[in-house]
mmCIF file of all heavy atoms in Angstrom:
data_model
loop_
_atom_site.group_PDB
_atom_site.id
_atom_site.type_symbol
_atom_site.label_atom_id
_atom_site.label_comp_id
_atom_site.label_asym_id
_atom_site.label_seq_id
_atom_site.Cartn_x
_atom_site.Cartn_y
_atom_site.Cartn_z
ATOM 1 N N LEU A 11 -6.139 -19.688 -11.938
ATOM 2 C CA LEU A 11 -7.407 -19.300 -11.325
ATOM 3 C C LEU A 11 -8.584 -19.558 -12.259
ATOM 4 O O LEU A 11 -9.681 -19.886 -11.807
ATOM 5 C CB LEU A 11 -7.375 -17.822 -10.921
ATOM 6 C CG LEU A 11 -6.477 -17.482 -9.731
ATOM 7 C CD1 LEU A 11 -6.332 -15.972 -9.578
ATOM 8 C CD2 LEU A 11 -7.023 -18.106 -8.454
ATOM 9 N N ALA A 12 -8.359 -19.428 -13.573
ATOM 10 C CA ALA A 12 -9.416 -19.679 -14.544
ATOM 11 C C ALA A 12 -9.702 -21.173 -14.707
ATOM 12 O O ALA A 12 -10.784 -21.560 -15.152
ATOM 13 C CB ALA A 12 -9.046 -19.074 -15.897
ATOM 14 N N ASN A 13 -8.737 -22.002 -14.350
ATOM 15 C CA ASN A 13 -8.861 -23.461 -14.462
ATOM 16 C C ASN A 13 -8.344 -24.102 -13.175
ATOM 17 O O ASN A 13 -7.238 -24.641 -13.156
ATOM 18 C CB ASN A 13 -8.046 -23.970 -15.656
ATOM 19 C CG ASN A 13 -8.479 -23.325 -16.959
ATOM 20 O OD1 ASN A 13 -9.512 -23.670 -17.498
ATOM 21 N ND2 ASN A 13 -7.708 -22.369 -17.443
ATOM 22 N N PRO A 14 -9.118 -24.040 -12.098
ATOM 23 C CA PRO A 14 -8.628 -24.455 -10.774
ATOM 24 C C PRO A 14 -8.085 -25.876 -10.690
ATOM 25 O O PRO A 14 -7.211 -26.150 -9.881
ATOM 26 C CB PRO A 14 -9.854 -24.292 -9.871
ATOM 27 C CG PRO A 14 -10.709 -23.308 -10.566
ATOM 28 C CD PRO A 14 -10.478 -23.520 -12.037
ATOM 29 N N SER A 15 -8.551 -26.789 -11.527
ATOM 30 C CA SER A 15 -8.054 -28.166 -11.443
ATOM 31 C C SER A 15 -6.792 -28.380 -12.271
ATOM 32 O O SER A 15 -6.203 -29.444 -12.223
ATOM 33 C CB SER A 15 -9.143 -29.144 -11.912
ATOM 34 O OG SER A 15 -9.429 -28.923 -13.281
ATOM 35 N N HIS A 16 -6.363 -27.376 -13.025
ATOM 36 C CA HIS A 16 -5.179 -27.492 -13.876
ATOM 37 C C HIS A 16 -3.930 -26.969 -13.178
ATOM 38 O O HIS A 16 -4.000 -26.270 -12.179
ATOM 39 C CB HIS A 16 -5.376 -26.715 -15.183
ATOM 40 C CG HIS A 16 -6.460 -27.268 -16.037
ATOM 41 N ND1 HIS A 16 -6.826 -26.701 -17.224
ATOM 42 C CD2 HIS A 16 -7.282 -28.344 -15.895
ATOM 43 C CE1 HIS A 16 -7.799 -27.383 -17.782
ATOM 44 N NE2 HIS A 16 -8.102 -28.380 -16.979
ATOM 45 N N ARG A 17 -2.786 -27.303 -13.747
ATOM 46 C CA ARG A 17 -1.501 -26.768 -13.306
ATOM 47 C C ARG A 17 -0.864 -26.050 -14.485
ATOM 48 O O ARG A 17 -1.000 -26.484 -15.628
ATOM 49 C CB ARG A 17 -0.560 -27.882 -12.815
ATOM 50 C CG ARG A 17 -1.072 -28.609 -11.582
ATOM 51 C CD ARG A 17 -1.152 -27.658 -10.393
ATOM 52 N NE ARG A 17 -1.706 -28.260 -9.210
ATOM 53 C CZ ARG A 17 -2.965 -28.088 -8.805
ATOM 54 N NH1 ARG A 17 -3.793 -27.381 -9.529
ATOM 55 N NH2 ARG A 17 -3.370 -28.623 -7.687
ATOM 56 N N VAL A 18 -0.174 -24.960 -14.210
ATOM 57 C CA VAL A 18 0.485 -24.162 -15.244
ATOM 58 C C VAL A 18 1.986 -24.236 -15.000
ATOM 59 O O VAL A 18 2.451 -23.976 -13.886
ATOM 60 C CB VAL A 18 0.014 -22.692 -15.192
ATOM 61 C CG1 VAL A 18 0.725 -21.863 -16.245
ATOM 62 C CG2 VAL A 18 -1.494 -22.608 -15.364
ATOM 63 N N LEU A 19 2.746 -24.603 -16.022
ATOM 64 C CA LEU A 19 4.203 -24.618 -15.921
ATOM 65 C C LEU A 19 4.724 -23.282 -16.432
ATOM 66 O O LEU A 19 4.547 -22.941 -17.602
ATOM 67 C CB LEU A 19 4.799 -25.764 -16.732
ATOM 68 C CG LEU A 19 6.328 -25.823 -16.766
ATOM 69 C CD1 LEU A 19 6.889 -26.024 -15.359
ATOM 70 C CD2 LEU A 19 6.795 -26.930 -17.704
ATOM 71 N N PHE A 20 5.351 -22.521 -15.560
ATOM 72 C CA PHE A 20 5.941 -21.231 -15.903
ATOM 73 C C PHE A 20 7.453 -21.413 -15.994
ATOM 74 O O PHE A 20 8.080 -21.869 -15.042
ATOM 75 C CB PHE A 20 5.581 -20.190 -14.838
ATOM 76 C CG PHE A 20 6.315 -18.895 -14.994
ATOM 77 C CD1 PHE A 20 6.092 -18.085 -16.079
ATOM 78 C CD2 PHE A 20 7.237 -18.503 -14.046
ATOM 79 C CE1 PHE A 20 6.786 -16.885 -16.232
ATOM 80 C CE2 PHE A 20 7.934 -17.312 -14.182
ATOM 81 C CZ PHE A 20 7.700 -16.500 -15.281
ATOM 82 N N VAL A 21 8.024 -21.112 -17.152
ATOM 83 C CA VAL A 21 9.457 -21.271 -17.377
ATOM 84 C C VAL A 21 10.042 -19.942 -17.827
ATOM 85 O O VAL A 21 9.482 -19.265 -18.684
ATOM 86 C CB VAL A 21 9.739 -22.343 -18.455
ATOM 87 C CG1 VAL A 21 11.229 -22.499 -18.690
ATOM 88 C CG2 VAL A 21 9.121 -23.676 -18.051
ATOM 89 N N CYS A 22 11.160 -19.578 -17.229
ATOM 90 C CA CYS A 22 11.864 -18.343 -17.584
ATOM 91 C C CYS A 22 13.298 -18.720 -17.930
ATOM 92 O O CYS A 22 13.978 -19.373 -17.139
ATOM 93 C CB CYS A 22 11.830 -17.372 -16.407
ATOM 94 S SG CYS A 22 12.640 -15.811 -16.752
ATOM 95 N N THR A 23 13.735 -18.315 -19.110
ATOM 96 C CA THR A 23 15.078 -18.659 -19.574
ATOM 97 C C THR A 23 15.788 -17.408 -20.059
ATOM 98 O O THR A 23 15.192 -16.581 -20.735
ATOM 99 C CB THR A 23 15.005 -19.676 -20.732
ATOM 100 O OG1 THR A 23 14.265 -20.810 -20.290
ATOM 101 C CG2 THR A 23 16.373 -20.111 -21.170
ATOM 102 N N GLU A 24 17.049 -17.283 -19.712
ATOM 103 C CA GLU A 24 17.876 -16.168 -20.173
ATOM 104 C C GLU A 24 19.144 -16.756 -20.788
ATOM 105 O O GLU A 24 19.872 -17.499 -20.148
ATOM 106 C CB GLU A 24 18.232 -15.240 -19.020
ATOM 107 C CG GLU A 24 18.959 -14.012 -19.483
ATOM 108 C CD GLU A 24 19.142 -12.991 -18.371
ATOM 109 O OE1 GLU A 24 18.901 -13.300 -17.201
ATOM 110 O OE2 GLU A 24 19.541 -11.872 -18.706
ATOM 111 N N LEU A 25 19.365 -16.437 -22.052
ATOM 112 C CA LEU A 25 20.508 -16.976 -22.782
ATOM 113 C C LEU A 25 21.477 -15.855 -23.146
ATOM 114 O O LEU A 25 21.540 -15.406 -24.294
ATOM 115 C CB LEU A 25 20.031 -17.713 -24.040
ATOM 116 C CG LEU A 25 19.082 -18.882 -23.775
ATOM 117 C CD1 LEU A 25 18.541 -19.440 -25.073
ATOM 118 C CD2 LEU A 25 19.787 -19.955 -22.967
ATOM 119 N N CYS A 26 22.224 -15.414 -22.156
ATOM 120 C CA CYS A 26 23.194 -14.334 -22.374
ATOM 121 C C CYS A 26 24.306 -14.741 -23.331
ATOM 122 O O CYS A 26 24.871 -13.899 -24.033
ATOM 123 C CB CYS A 26 23.797 -13.900 -21.042
ATOM 124 S SG CYS A 26 22.579 -13.245 -19.898
ATOM 125 N N SER A 27 24.635 -16.022 -23.377
ATOM 126 C CA SER A 27 25.748 -16.466 -24.209
ATOM 127 C C SER A 27 25.478 -16.277 -25.702
ATOM 128 O O SER A 27 26.407 -16.316 -26.510
ATOM 129 C CB SER A 27 26.085 -17.934 -23.927
ATOM 130 O OG SER A 27 24.998 -18.759 -24.284
#
Side-chain angles (χ1 to χ4, degrees):
L11 289 170
N13 302 285
S15 64
H16 295 178
R17 296 296 176 259
V18 179
L19 176 62
F20 171 66
V21 180
C22 181
T23 304
E24 186 172 11
L25 301 173
C26 298
S27 64

